[in-house]
Amino acid sequence: RDPIEAKSESKMFFNSPAYQNHTDYVTWLTNDTLTNFLQENENVFIDFFATWCGHSQRLYPTWFDFAKAVQREGLPVAIGALACDREPNNVCERLGVQGFPNLKWFINGTESLPKYNWGRKYMALLSYTKEKLQNQTKMAS
């Protein structure tokens, strides 16, 4: 991939309305902020993405709508996003992110298995989140 083209697409995304209008619902993470975010929130769902990736770009509006619904419904989960292609000494590699977008659920800072594979549609994301929270509540009882 041409690095100049990728940089241009990345810049376009971060200047786009999709990014600017949804920062209240999604916490934008970096290598420096990820650890604290995971420590401060019991349940975390993160979109590890690349700004140049077409699949990631198509997920943005859905991810933001999903995050807005999580907040509206008062679900106890923090929603984050980390642009793997913008981070030096990439934490994404350490976490085993190999393709984009890569959605991961964490409980108390530890990745929850099995890996997410429910799909990239709004209802799949919301149903998965509700099921994870329900299962967690059952296990705590």
Side-chain angles (χ1 to χ4, degrees), residues 21-117:
N21 293 340
H22 295 90
T23 54
D24 292 341
Y25 308 108
V26 175
T27 300
W28 294 96
L29 301 167
T30 65
N31 287 338
D32 296 333
T33 62
L34 178 63
T35 300
N36 284 343
F37 187 69
L38 292 173
Q39 290 173 347
E40 293 170 358
N41 298 285
E42 180 180 0
N43 298 296
V44 174
F45 201 11
I46 300 175
D47 172 16
F48 293 91
F49 68 97
T51 56
W52 50 260
C53 171
H55 297 293
S56 292
Q57 291 169 4
R58 283 188 292 281
L59 179 62
Y60 297 143
T62 304
W63 189 251
F64 298 130
D65 288 344
F66 157 70
K68 190 175 183 178
V70 164
Q71 188 176 54
R72 182 178 60 246
E73 293 189 28
L75 300 175
V77 58
I79 306 300
L82 195 150
C84 294
D85 58 329
R86 296 177 61 91
E87 293 299 314
N89 304 316
N90 204 319
V91 69
C92 298
E93 290 177 20
R94 185 172 50 81
L95 291 173
V97 173
Q98 296 180 336
F100 303 110
N102 197 306
L103 307 177
K104 293 182 179 281
W105 185 278
F106 296 83
I107 300 172
N108 296 317
T110 302
E111 184 179 354
S112 178
L113 298 174
K115 293 182 185 267
Y116 179 83
N117 65 357

